[in-house]
Structure formats: structure tokens, C-alpha cells
């Protein structure tokens, strides 16, 4: 999540339905830039911007045009447990397998490179689409909180087969 992603991300997050689905609050553009900076420096979280297509973008403009969402890990429970959030913001990419692919990539990265052993997904109780998504991707119901109006799903890394991921150098890494 780089500085050049912020304006498009901010546009997504001004959508009231996305705010509700992601349990997010609207931020000013200035606050969004501050948040982006914290994503790059904080050690307790990790985020990736998802892009469409089967190739690496050759320009920042191409990358911005191909942005479809993001996926996040939060390391708040213990060093080997991660809370996972996923958002496919662009409507035309929902229900097309992109979310599942994003999920597989981040889980394999986290298991292979970060030694994560368990993943947790907290979902608003009214977000049936997300609950069905995580169930479809082998997450198991762990708990339901009426107080917080959220449902927690978990996935143990023991059920995941490790795979070798091809490392790709991000072409725009020199920018914040």
C-alpha cells in the first residue's frame, strides 16, 4: 500500500456500503495518507493492494487502473496468529474468484514467510456474503458475539499445505 494508492483507496472507502461491510469509518484524505504511512511502518499489521490481471503493471497509472481491493493481516493476538481482512472494492471483480485468490496468496505468504499458525476473520453479523466467503475457503466458525455484533471464523495453518511462492520485486518500491 503505497502513497500513490491512497486517492483511489480513499474513493473506495467513501462508499457507505463498503464502510458498512468492512466496519470502517470515513476518513479525510489527509487522515488516509497518515493511515497509509502507518501501514508501512507499524510492525503489527501488513497490507497488500490487489490488482487484476496476470502480469505486473509496467506503470503506476496501469497499476491504479487495475487496483481491485486490498488484504490485511493484523498481528494482535500473538506472534503466530493473524487477523485477516479482505476487501474486493471494485464491484465487477466480486464473485469472480479474485477474493479467494487473494486469500490463498496472503495465507501462503504468511505461513511460509511469517510463520503464522492460525488466521482469524472477524465479520459483522449482518455480512452474510463475507461469512459465506470464509466458510467456502475452509475457515471454521469459532464464535458469535451479540454484544459486538460480529462472528469470528478461524483457519489453522495445520490444514494448509505449504507451497513455494515466486518472489516478485515490486516495480514501484522506491516510492513511499
Amino acid at each position: 500500500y503505497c502513497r500513490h494508492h491512497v486517492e483511489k483507496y480513499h474513493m473506495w472507502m467513501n462508499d457507505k456500503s463498503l464502510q458498512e461491510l468492512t466496519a470502517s469509518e470515513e476518513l479525510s484524505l489527509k487522515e488516509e495518507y497518515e493511515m497509509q504511512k502507518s501501514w508501512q511502518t507499524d510492525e503489527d499489521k501488513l497490507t497488500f493492494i490487489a490488482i487484476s490481471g496476470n502480469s505486473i503493471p509496467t506503470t503506476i497509472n496501469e497499476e491504479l487502473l487495475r487496483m481491485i481491493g486490498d488484504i490485511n493481516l493484523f498481528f494482535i493476538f500473538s506472534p503466530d496468529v493473524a487477523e485477516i481482512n479482505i476487501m474486493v472494492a471494485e464491484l465487477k471483480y466480486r464473485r469472480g474468484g479474485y477474493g479467494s485468490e487473494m486469500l490463498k496468496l496472503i495465507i501462503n505468504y504468511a505461513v511460509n514467510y511469517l510463520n503464522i499458525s492460525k488466521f482469524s476473520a472477524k465479520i459483522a453479523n449482518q455480512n452474510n456474503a463475507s461469512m459465506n466467503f470464509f466458510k467456502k475457503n475452509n475457515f471454521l466458525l469459532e464464535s458469535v458475539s451479540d454484544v459486538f455484533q460480529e462472528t469470528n471464523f478461524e483457519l489453522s495453518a495445520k490444514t494448509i499445505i505449504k507451497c513455494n511462492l515466486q518472489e516478485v520485486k515490486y516495480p514501484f518500491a522506491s516510492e513511499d
Side-chain angles (χ1 to χ4, degrees), residues 2 4 40 60 169-176:
C2 299
H4 63 267
Q40 288 199 333
I60 289 175
K169 181 169 174 22
Y170 182 61
F172 315 115
S174 62
E175 186 188 334
D176 291 332

Side-chain angles (χ1 to χ4, degrees), residues 73-91:
L73 294 177
F74 298 91
F75 311 105
I76 54 176
F77 304 116
S78 68
D80 64 335
V81 177
E83 182 178 330
I84 191 164
N85 295 0
I86 185 168
M87 175 181 71
V88 179
E90 295 290 334
L91 283 173

Side-chain angles (χ1 to χ4, degrees), residues 6-167:
V6 171
E7 286 189 27
K8 185 166 186 177
Y9 187 86
H10 181 68
M11 179 193 69
W12 289 339
M13 297 315 296
N14 279 322
D15 180 290
K16 298 295 182 202
S17 65
L18 273 179
Q19 288 175 16
E20 187 177 312
L21 290 171
T22 60
S24 300
E25 294 181 19
E26 189 171 339
L27 300 177
S28 69
L29 185 58
K30 181 182 179 202
E31 291 170 319
E32 200 71 70
Y33 275 107
E34 291 167 0
M35 186 66 73
Q36 179 272 330
K37 198 176 229 179
S38 80
W39 277 101
Q40 288 199 333
T41 57
D42 291 355
E43 293 183 12
D44 63 347
K45 56 190 175 188
L46 181 66
T47 192
F48 291 97
I49 295 294
I51 59 169
S52 63
N54 293 321
S55 62
I56 297 171
T58 57
T59 66
I60 289 175
N61 285 338
E62 179 188 359
E63 181 177 72
L64 292 173
L65 288 172
R66 290 172 48 190
M67 280 176 63
I68 64 168
D70 74 338
I71 191 158
N72 311 302
L73 294 177
F74 298 91
F75 311 105
I76 54 176
F77 304 116
S78 68
D80 64 335
V81 177
E83 182 178 330
I84 191 164
N85 295 0
I86 185 168
M87 175 181 71
V88 179
E90 295 290 334
L91 283 173
K92 69 181 181 180
Y93 292 101
R94 292 184 193 164
R95 304 196 60 79
Y98 287 93
S100 293
E101 188 67 19
M102 291 162 59
L103 189 64
K104 288 176 195 169
L105 289 170
I106 196 76
I107 285 174
N108 279 305
Y109 176 80
V111 169
N112 285 307
Y113 294 96
L114 305 175
N115 296 314
I116 299 299
S117 65
K118 187 190 299 185
F119 298 90
S120 172
K122 292 183 180 176
I123 302 163
N125 286 347
Q126 71 274 12
N127 191 341
N128 291 323
S130 286
M131 285 194 255
N132 290 333
F133 169 81
F134 281 100
K135 286 180 200 173
K136 179 183 89 173
N137 284 284
N138 301 314
F139 278 68
L140 301 175
L141 177 64
E142 178 63 26
S143 62
V144 177
S145 171
D146 292 327
V147 174
F148 294 110
Q149 290 296 299
E150 68 183 18
T151 301
N152 186 43
F153 289 87
E154 290 188 351
L155 178 70
S156 170
K158 292 177 184 174
T159 63
I160 301 166
I161 299 171
K162 290 191 176 189
C163 72
N164 293 322
L165 298 177
Q166 177 185 0
E167 282 197 40

